[in-house]
Amino acid sequence: MRYIPNSAADRQQMLAEAGLASVDSLFSGIPGKLRLRRLLDIPKALTEPELIEYFQARAAKDANASPLFIGAGIYSHYIPIVIDALISRSEFYTAYTPYQAELAQGTLQAIFEFQTYIAQLTGMEVANASLYDGSTGLAEAVLMAHRLAKKDRFLLARTVHPEYRAVVETYAKNLGIGIELIEYTPDGRMDPEKLEAQLQKGGTAAVVVQSPNFFGTLEKTHDICELAHRYEALSIVNVCEAVSLGLLKAPGEDASEKRTADIVVGEAQSFGVPPSFGGPHLGFMATRERFVRQMPGRLVGMGKDYAGRRGFVLTLSTREQHIRREKATSNICTNQSLCALMATIYLAAVGPKGLREVCEQNIAKTAYAGDQIQKETRRRVLFPAPRFNEFVIEYDREQPPAGLSLSRFYPELGHAVLLCVTETARREQIDAMVKGFA
Amino acid sequence: MSKRVSTHFSLNERIVFEEGSPGRRAFDLPALDVPHRDIKELIEPELLRAEIPGMPELSEVDVIRHFTRLSTWNYHIDLGLYPLGSCTMKYNPKINERMARLEGFIQAHPYAPAGRIQGSLDIQKTLESCLAEISGMDAVTLQPAAGAHGELTGILMIRAYHESRGNPRKKILIPDSAHGTNPASAAISGYAVESVPSNAQGTVDLAALRKAVNEDVAAIMITNPNTLGIFEAEIGEIALLLHSHGALVYMDGANLNAMMGITRPGDFGIDVLHINLHKTFTTPHGGGGPGAGPVVVKKILEPFLPYPVIGGKTDGTLFFDYDRPQSIGKIKAYNGQFGMHVRALCYILANGPEGLKEVSEVAVLNANYIRAKLKAAFALPYDSPTLHEVVFSDRRQAHHDVHVWDMAKRLMDYGFHPPTVSFPLIVSGAIMIEPTETESKQELDAFIDAMLAIAKEAEEQPEFVKAAPHTTRIGRIDEAGAARRPVLRWKPEE
């Protein structure tokens, strides 16, 4: 076998030196009646050329002949080549979790840089080393707010990604956490009056809002944070489309702390991580400094070695499962380190100006696509509020020619379609997509 | 001599925020091919930000050199052995990476029409059936993002199962040798945790377990082989005991590498098990993630799997089936860490049935070889036969005030990553070694020589060992200091 170095002769010699009779005797601790007396019934071994053929045949089936204009939490952005070149270095991808700081300064410093980038982009004081993805990140944010507020009631905008809401429900239901949904207005935003009416009832731990929301509409997150704080609730802002942070006012940025988020959480797949059929992606979380000990997930801190040299180390791990076990802040035991590295390289490569340009192109192309739909087809664009790179149009059949039918998530919208247009869509592709809806 | 460290150049590198200069860039986009729009006309100005303070501007060369230099500061499996017990760091085959990067896979969207994702679905379905066969179970979800996430999924399914029978029950039993994530996963599923002691052989104390089991117990969470590397030989009796009280058996699959083709959890009474693809099935650790933690279950738990599951139509086409009324719900958006699924399947198909069995045999042989060679120098707290890993203690070296952490750091000077230390918690000063099957006799011998040399140093020059490492690019970091006043982000100097 090509991945096992020891030959039959090596193995015989090792058995002899260890005083063992045979390979089979190594398993004497497993009772005979529990031993499998046949070979596993899985496909027979393939050689490397056969493996390539096997996987290429399947990948070819899914290769995109034309763009699908589907976003819904997973965005197709241009990925600079340098990312793949650097993360393909085995020093990064074949390294272990950096528990031994002296042998893992590369990973540790890269995570420290990621934490800084996320803090800058969200306008928050501190960020963690990443979480599994945006959906579990939002669930962790709810559990964190639950620990901080010591109240059980959460108000979630119905415009939050429906699968994210489902994950929050799964995490919350055995911990006595109640989730109430706040409806949207005809312009496609969380209804502030309905939110206030629910807040007036009292006992709210936190309000959760997403911007751009699942319809692609920009929420007035700062107004919502202010409203939540007025009723002594925490505010959680969820960001599925991280690229938007390059142009939109950061949830943590305002002259008044009352108007800023307590926890910003989201999905950073847009920063150089491919869609990859739903994963791996990259959850992020940022918060105020005073909440850091309740923040789940890993943290890298800057420190000094005994000679006074700057170095990096995993820190504040007393919050984590391997120390506090059932009292831990969460059961998370990992982060998405390699994806966080991809995002860090992406941000280093695009810089602040490149990121802004990506945002501007997304907005312009989305506006163009929306205008063309109105002009060239009889379909209406729903929800007039400002948008980033997604929008919803009326539709009447089950299978849209492009985009995602919303009937599974928002039955009241019928067969309305969510369309996503990023900088990767060329004008003629947008025009062809528009024609499909005529 | 066994020390393979020598000096060589190591370039210093500043933090990325201290690099670059305004006006540099490593990125460009084609010119906008639709009419330009003034952003302020499309979006309320109050929703727009001015600039992002502190973000550096770099050229492509700057980016490449910065991260390449950082990369040289990492130890990694392609460089040498990682003898990490319980973490299973084995070689990551290169073909896995190439296959996971095929354009059709990385651009696939899980919400695309079924006709456009048959290849990706086929990968997931085939991986599911392989994992079910390897573990001896009936049904699979690939959704969990990591091992601990799989634990949560499994316990939530156990809860849903008991609820469907009228009572979720109150507590989960966990042996004291368990992974720290086990109690945490049980707790966030709303269960109380009760610890079960180990006996003198290092396995679950059956008499104590008999006393602990009653109708309030929802399940036991057991690791097998356990974290000492010992097979729980009474697992059949343990499963019978739990089942006779209506409780279920959850197995932590962290140590599956010891048993592929040798014995199957489904055949010894396990009801639900998570599998760490990044351990047994060579998807890389990536410096801490992404992982993947599929969960395999017996038939009785199938209705509770997170939705969607992969269904098949009579014409052979596959689809995501969201219509699962008894499901625990969603545990993650979409359906798991697909990139890891490609890598794991690639590894399984590269090995086949004979190959996987050989993997386990050689992994166990390598661990027992190390055990035999080191037991004269290090204390072995449990003498029971071990499989893929072996746990020593620092008891003998502690007489010279040299502790496991010191020896771990000293091992770096010999060119090795340290083993897992201070775990499992039931062994004081634990040194937990797992070589895996991808290490040659020569690599193992070099490691053994290094360990023996350190044992000797601990007797002869303990102060030197306690000051290790001596050759790494930075010395031991003052962790207490870093935690007291945490600096978690870069800020410009004022």
Side-chain angles (χ1 to χ4, degrees), chain A residues 43-173:
Chain A
K44 70 171 180 63
L46 300 181
T47 61
E48 193 167 289
E50 290 167 324
L51 285 170
I52 292 170
E53 200 180 325
Y54 179 93
F55 285 98
Q56 278 180 343
R58 281 153 186 80
K61 278 190 187 174
D62 296 3
N64 273 350
S66 58
L68 295 163
F69 295 94
I70 301 177
I74 301 177
Y75 299 95
S76 173
H77 289 295
Y78 181 69
I79 300 175
I81 298 286
V82 291
I83 297 178
D84 201 48
L86 288 166
I87 63 136
S88 295
R89 293 184 67 86
S90 57
E91 294 90 338
F92 284 127
Y93 81 86
T94 80
Y96 179 63
T97 306
Y99 290 132
Q100 299 286 350
E102 300 86 347
L103 295 183
Q105 286 298 302
T107 294
L108 287 163
Q109 181 171 325
I111 293 175
F112 183 81
E113 293 177 354
F114 172 78
Q115 290 175 180
T116 304
Y117 270 122
I118 294 297
Q120 289 176 348
L121 285 164
T122 56
M124 301 297 283
E125 290 166 341
V126 286
N128 73 7
S130 76
L131 297 163
Y132 303 140
D133 78 330
S135 68
T136 55
L138 182 60
E140 291 288 348
V142 165
L143 299 193
M144 176 177 163
H146 187 235
R147 291 189 294 274
L148 285 168
K150 299 189 171 66
K151 287 184 273 191
D152 297 328
R153 184 166 181 248
F154 284 77
L155 303 177
L156 259 74
R158 203 158 158 259
T159 48
V160 171
H161 192 313
E163 291 211 1
Y164 283 36
R165 282 191 270 121
V167 174
V168 170
E169 296 268 0
T170 305
Y171 272 70
K173 68 185 165 201

Side-chain angles (χ1 to χ4, degrees), chain A residues 17 34 36 41 58 62 71 84 95-96 100 102 107 121 163 170 173 245 249 276-277 305 331 334-335, chain B residues 47 49 74-75 87 101 106 108-109 120 122 133 185 262-263 287-288 328 330 334 349 373 409 441 475:
Chain A
E17 285 184 38
L34 302 183
L36 188 67
D41 183 16
R58 281 153 186 80
D62 296 3
D84 201 48
Y96 179 63
Q100 299 286 350
E102 300 86 347
T107 294
L121 285 164
E163 291 211 1
T170 305
K173 68 185 165 201
L245 292 168
K249 191 172 164 190
S276 197
F277 202 49
D305 76 357
N331 77 327
T334 186
N335 69 325
Chain B
L47 295 183
R49 79 189 299 168
N74 272 357
Y75 191 91
C87 295
R101 283 176 171 76
I106 63 173
H109 196 298
S120 301
D122 181 58
E133 167 64 11
S185 298
I262 310 282
T263 180
I328 58 165
K330 281 207 70 66
Y334 323 115
L349 295 179
K373 296 275 179 168
K409 296 300 182 194
K441 180 176 183 297

Side-chain angles (χ1 to χ4, degrees), chain B residues 236-418:
Chain B
E237 290 74 17
I238 291 171
L240 273 177
L241 174 64
L242 271 289
H243 288 157
S244 73
H245 288 268
L248 300 181
V249 184
Y250 181 100
M251 186 176 129
D252 183 319
N255 298 335
L256 202 62
N257 204 45
M259 59 169 79
M260 288 186 293
I262 310 282
T263 180
R264 305 194 306 167
D267 298 343
F268 52 69
I270 304 300
D271 299 297
V272 50
L273 159 83
H274 80 260
I275 298 172
N276 307 73
L277 296 185
H278 47 287
K279 296 186 180 182
T280 307
F281 298 104
T282 67
T283 75
H285 278 244
V295 174
V296 290
V297 299
K298 286 284 178 59
K299 204 94 198 151
I300 51 163
L301 289 167
E302 188 174 8
F304 310 105
L305 290 169
Y307 70 81
V309 299
I310 300 169
K313 293 188 180 144
T314 46
D315 65 357
T317 54
L318 302 168
F319 66 104
F320 280 130
D321 178 3
Y322 291 89
D323 185 18
R324 308 285 298 174
Q326 286 187 281
S327 167
I328 58 165
K330 281 207 70 66
I331 194 76
K332 180 184 175 299
Y334 323 115
N335 196 37
Q337 312 271 53
F338 177 73
M340 301 297 123
H341 303 157
V342 177
R343 290 170 173 89
L345 182 62
C346 189
Y347 176 76
I348 291 170
L349 295 179
N351 281 281
E354 288 93 354
L356 288 185
K357 184 167 188 234
E358 194 183 344
V359 162
S360 291
E361 287 172 350
V362 178
V364 173
L365 170 62
N366 285 0
N368 276 275
Y369 180 72
I370 287 180
R371 174 180 162 139
K373 296 275 179 168
L374 289 184
K375 71 180 178 189
F378 295 93
L380 194 60
Y382 294 95
D383 200 32
S384 306
T386 45
L387 292 171
H388 64 300
E389 62 194 4
V390 55
V391 179
F392 294 102
S393 110
D394 67 2
R395 210 163 53 213
R396 285 184 211 159
Q397 290 73 31
H399 291 311
H400 306 281
D401 200 29
V402 172
H403 296 274
V404 58
W405 198 250
D406 305 313
M407 292 190 280
K409 296 300 182 194
R410 181 67 182 134
L411 203 49
M412 297 176 184
D413 294 328
Y414 283 85
F416 289 98
H417 193 280

